[in-house]
Amino acid sequence: MLTRLFVKDFAIVDQLEIEIDAGMTTITGETGAGKSISIDAIGLCLGARADAGMVKAGADKSEITATFNITQIPSASQWLLENDLLEADQEDCIIRRVITKEGRSRAYINGAPVPAQQLKALAPLLIHIHGQHAHQMLLKSDYQLSVLDQFAAHKHLLAQTQLAYQGWNKIKNQLKALQEAQTQRDARAQLLEYQVAELDEFNLQEGEFNQLESEYKKLNNAVNILQNSQQCFSMLYDNDEQNMVSMLKMVNQKLTEASRFDPALQNIIDMLNDAEIQLTEASYELRDYIEDQEPDPQRLAELESRMSTAMDLARKHKVEPETLPEVHQALAQEFDEIKQNNAQSISLEAEEKQAGEQYWSAAEKLTESRQKAAKKLAKAVTASMQQLNMQQGVFNIALNRLDKASKAGSDAVEFEVCANPGQPMQAISKVASGGELSRISLAIQVLTSSQMETPTLIFDEVDVGISGPTAAVVGKMLRQIGEHNQVMCVTHLPQVAACGHQQMQVSKTTDKRKTTTKMYKLTAEQRISELARLLGGDQITENTLQNARELLVS
């Protein structure tokens, strides 16, 4: 809850420092004294827009500090811890806002500088400000739904529905992306199926084209190779008149005879013997090769055909023939991936259907809970309206199931009211006046406050347009909220002011040079005097004092 507020050089405030207790605190003062300044200051601390006009005339800057005890606000503590703005054993959250006369603004949480956006994120966890025109929110369907959910206190159902919606939406987006590309994939798959089948049928292996090319060259030149080989064999061995083997033998014989006279020739003779053996073996090998050679026109035609097909396919795919196996593999892989995508699309369709069923199941449970809560809330609001001088008023909550899904379920809510007997129920926006809206809004605040996580509620002159017995009921309702929430209420009605557990007064002083506003807590006797002023104006009599004493709620 809010425990302390410090304001310096803000609007017409020189310096203000107040301690704020639990329960209901009423704030009163003369018209124009600046009763709402403290509310404005708190709003700035919680991220409201700042401008240079807020700085007191003659000052360099405005400074506002709000201190909150967060021991009973686990959501706020968790948020601060997650954002590294709180020590583990820290009980207070101190928010400070500084505005310069040039209009620049700086914000701090527990001494750490933060952007105003973070103040706005933290604000709903600490305070709810119900301003003079807050009842206008009742006209918005989204707000009406949030009010009903708050009263129903079914966070677990909301969480389940939201989780189911997010999961379903994720799968739908994935499926949509796959389906949008389906046409292109189908066209590509049709082409790939033909290309892969063609390459499968041809089935050129890795390195095969080079082998084909080499064999083709050999067969295409077979006659020339055979002729040259035969001529060489004749020169080496087969020529009866003269061949290289016989000539080498003759050389060898002559050197052997000469070596009898000079042993130094023996090394040469040994090398020639080796050469003779090598030459003879080469001749035999060449003879065998020649015997194995036979022109094969059929095989040559086969090679020509396969190479021609390979080159045609290569031109079609705009690659070199020897790279066709890699192209074949890549196209086959792409075709498999497209088939897998199609299978994934079928699988996702099944998942999408299942996720949709899970969502609608969760949404149905949420709807059932809302229907039960709507009946209870409508009955309770009707009773409160009748207490608030709408004796014949009837309140109803129309809950309509929509076909459209959302993270908040599939329900549309409309608050309806019948102000006079015999009239049909109509949307609250069509039949309720501003004063009636204000009273209905207040009744709803009272009925839902026990489910509020926000510990501090501020009401800024929500009692405008009411008086007498109705004002007394409003005061009692606000005090009822103050039994389990901290309530601050700016009011001009003595019946409301008297219901506070404590009361503060705002006063304004003016001299020739400046105007200053002050705010201070009233003692019991001072409260009686202030209530008497609200009852009788400036002329305070013993009767008004006595009325004030009787009015004051102990």
Side-chain angles (χ1 to χ4, degrees):
M1 69 174 192
L2 179 64
T3 59
R4 178 177 174 272
L5 180 65
F6 172 80
V7 181
K8 183 179 180 182
D9 293 329
F10 177 69
I12 56 174
V13 175
D14 282 337
Q15 184 166 310
L16 172 68
E17 186 170 6
I18 54 174
E19 303 290 333
I20 305 170
D21 298 324
M24 177 180 174
T25 300
T26 55
I27 302 172
T28 60
E30 295 180 357
T31 302
K35 294 188 293 296
S36 296
I37 284 180
S38 59
I39 310 302
D40 295 337
I42 293 171
L44 275 171
C45 259
L46 297 173
R49 185 174 180 179
D51 62 68
M54 296 174 174
V55 180
K56 184 176 174 63
D60 292 329
K61 63 182 180 181
S62 290
E63 181 180 345
I64 303 160
T65 304
T67 303
F68 296 85
N69 184 295
I70 56 173
T71 54
Q72 302 300 317
I73 320 176
S75 56
S77 298
Q78 183 64 30
W79 186 92
L80 290 164
L81 286 169
E82 289 175 355
N83 287 274
D84 296 323
L85 295 169
L86 186 73
E87 298 296 331
D89 57 349
Q90 192 173 340
E91 295 184 350
D92 288 336
C93 172
I94 302 172
I95 301 177
R96 180 168 171 256
R97 190 91 182 265
V98 178
I99 307 159
T100 68
K101 64 181 180 181
E102 292 81 19
R104 292 190 295 271
S105 171
R106 298 191 302 275
Y108 305 86
I109 297 178
N110 290 329
V114 296
Q117 205 61 35
Q118 279 198 299
L119 295 182
K120 291 180 181 178
L122 177 60
L125 306 177
L126 299 174
I127 278 184
H128 175 71
I129 299 178
H130 193 86
Q132 296 179 37
H133 305 291
H135 57 269
Q136 297 294 329
M137 292 291 290
L138 276 182
L139 306 179
K140 298 182 179 179
S141 180
D142 289 347
Y143 181 74
Q144 294 174 4
L145 183 62
S146 69
V147 166
L148 179 60
D149 286 336
Q150 186 176 313
F151 179 77
H154 49 209
K155 283 187 176 180
H156 62 293
L157 295 179
L158 280 168
Q160 288 172 3
T161 303
Q162 182 173 357
L163 192 63
Y165 176 79
Q166 289 171 342
W168 185 25
N169 210 38
K170 181 180 179 182
I171 294 174
K172 285 197 293 186
N173 289 335
Q174 291 174 342
L175 184 59
K176 182 181 178 182
L178 280 174
Q179 290 172 340
E180 285 177 350
Q182 187 69 45
T183 303
Q184 293 181 351
R185 285 203 312 272
D186 287 347
R188 179 64 176 163
Q190 188 174 2
L191 174 63
L192 287 172
E193 184 177 18
Y194 167 76
Q195 291 178 329
V196 171
E198 187 178 45
L199 290 169
D200 282 344
E201 183 180 358
F202 185 60
N203 196 26
L204 186 69
Q205 300 299 308
E206 187 75 32
E208 183 186 349
F209 185 81
N210 290 333
Q211 293 173 0
L212 291 172
E213 196 172 32
S214 176
E215 186 180 358
Y216 175 79
K217 289 179 180 178
K218 174 184 172 183
L219 288 178
N220 196 41
N221 292 279
V223 173
N224 187 42
I225 293 171
L226 185 59
Q227 289 176 346
N228 287 336
S229 297
Q230 288 172 339
Q231 183 179 0
C232 290
F233 179 68
S234 176
M235 292 171 63
L236 283 171
Y237 190 83
D238 198 39
N239 192 329
D240 292 335
E241 295 181 1
Q242 189 177 26
N243 61 70
M244 294 176 67
V245 173
S246 59
M247 291 177 66
L248 187 59
K249 284 182 178 181
M250 186 182 300
V251 171
N252 204 0
Q253 288 174 356
K254 289 184 178 296
L255 288 176
T256 299
E257 291 177 2
S259 66
R260 288 183 302 168
F261 306 104
D262 188 356
L265 292 172
Q266 189 58 48
N267 187 43
I268 297 172
I269 294 169
D270 291 340
M271 288 190 288
L272 289 173
N273 284 333
D274 290 341
E276 182 184 347
I277 293 170
Q278 292 290 330
L279 198 57
T280 301
E281 288 183 356
S283 300
Y284 294 160
E285 289 274 345
L286 184 56
R287 181 192 61 195
D288 293 341
Y289 173 81
I290 292 169
E291 290 176 354
D292 289 340
Q293 297 306 305
E294 183 177 351
D296 190 349
Q298 183 177 352
R299 176 58 180 167
L300 183 61
E302 289 174 358
L303 290 173
E304 285 180 339
S305 174
R306 190 158 178 79
M307 287 178 65
S308 176
T309 302
M311 287 186 286
D312 287 343
L313 287 171
R315 279 192 297 271
K316 184 183 292 186
H317 292 281
K318 299 179 180 180
V319 296
E320 295 299 323
E322 55 268 22
T323 64
L324 274 177
E326 289 89 343
V327 172
H328 183 190
Q329 183 179 1
L331 293 176
Q333 183 176 350
E334 184 182 355
F335 185 48
D336 287 341
E337 288 174 356
I338 289 178
K339 289 191 291 185
Q340 289 172 8
N341 281 335
N342 291 338
Q344 183 184 5
S345 180
I346 296 171
S347 175
L348 274 177
E349 285 176 359
E351 288 183 41
E352 190 269 339
K353 181 180 178 182
Q354 183 179 7
E357 291 172 352
Q358 290 175 348
Y359 168 80
W360 288 113
S361 175
E364 181 63 36
K365 293 176 183 177
L366 182 60
T367 297
E368 291 173 0
S369 178
R370 283 170 173 164
Q371 288 170 340
K372 293 176 183 178
K375 293 177 181 178
K376 293 179 182 179
L377 181 58
K379 184 177 179 180
V381 173
T382 295
S384 295
M385 285 168 57
Q386 292 174 359
Q387 287 181 326
L388 291 167
N389 201 27
M390 296 177 68
Q391 289 86 351
Q392 304 300 321
V394 179
F395 184 80
N396 182 56
I397 299 176
L399 193 66
N400 300 311
R401 189 70 183 271
L402 305 176
D403 293 332
K404 184 179 179 182
S406 75
K407 64 181 181 182
S410 58
D411 300 310
V413 168
E414 186 166 61
F415 286 179
E416 298 177 335
V417 67
C418 173
N420 301 296
Q423 293 182 340
M425 282 286 180
Q426 290 188 350
I428 195 171
S429 58
K430 295 181 179 179
V431 295
S433 65
E436 289 170 336
L437 273 177
S438 181
R439 279 175 273 176
I440 295 171
S441 176
L442 181 60
I444 290 173
Q445 287 284 339
V446 173
L447 294 167
T448 58
S449 61
S450 59
Q451 279 81 36
M452 278 190 177
E453 289 188 2
T454 307
T456 300
L457 306 175
I458 297 178
F459 295 88
D460 188 8
E461 296 194 23
V462 294
D463 49 17
V464 171
I466 61 174
S467 60
T470 305
V473 175
V474 169
K476 290 176 182 178
M477 284 186 170
L478 291 172
R479 186 178 177 93
Q480 182 182 338
I481 299 176
E483 297 300 329
H484 38 77
N485 292 83
Q486 183 186 42
V487 173
M488 294 178 65
C489 178
V490 176
T491 181
H492 66 287
L493 296 177
Q495 296 92 335
V496 175
C499 290
H501 294 93
Q502 52 272 332
Q503 185 173 342
M504 293 187 176
Q505 184 179 22
V506 178
S507 63
K508 180 172 67 173
T509 59
T510 304
D511 58 25
K512 294 181 178 180
R513 292 182 296 115
K514 63 179 181 178
T515 299
T516 302
T517 288
K518 294 183 178 180
M519 181 177 175
Y520 50 91
K521 188 175 181 179
L522 298 178
T523 64
E525 285 301 316
Q526 288 172 330
R527 285 193 73 179
I528 293 172
S529 298
E530 176 64 5
L531 290 175
R533 183 190 67 79
L534 292 173
L535 284 165
D538 294 335
Q539 297 296 324
I540 298 176
T541 66
E542 185 57 39
N543 287 336
T544 55
L545 287 171
Q546 183 59 34
N547 288 341
R549 292 187 186 96
E550 293 173 357
L551 194 62
L552 190 62
V553 178
S554 59

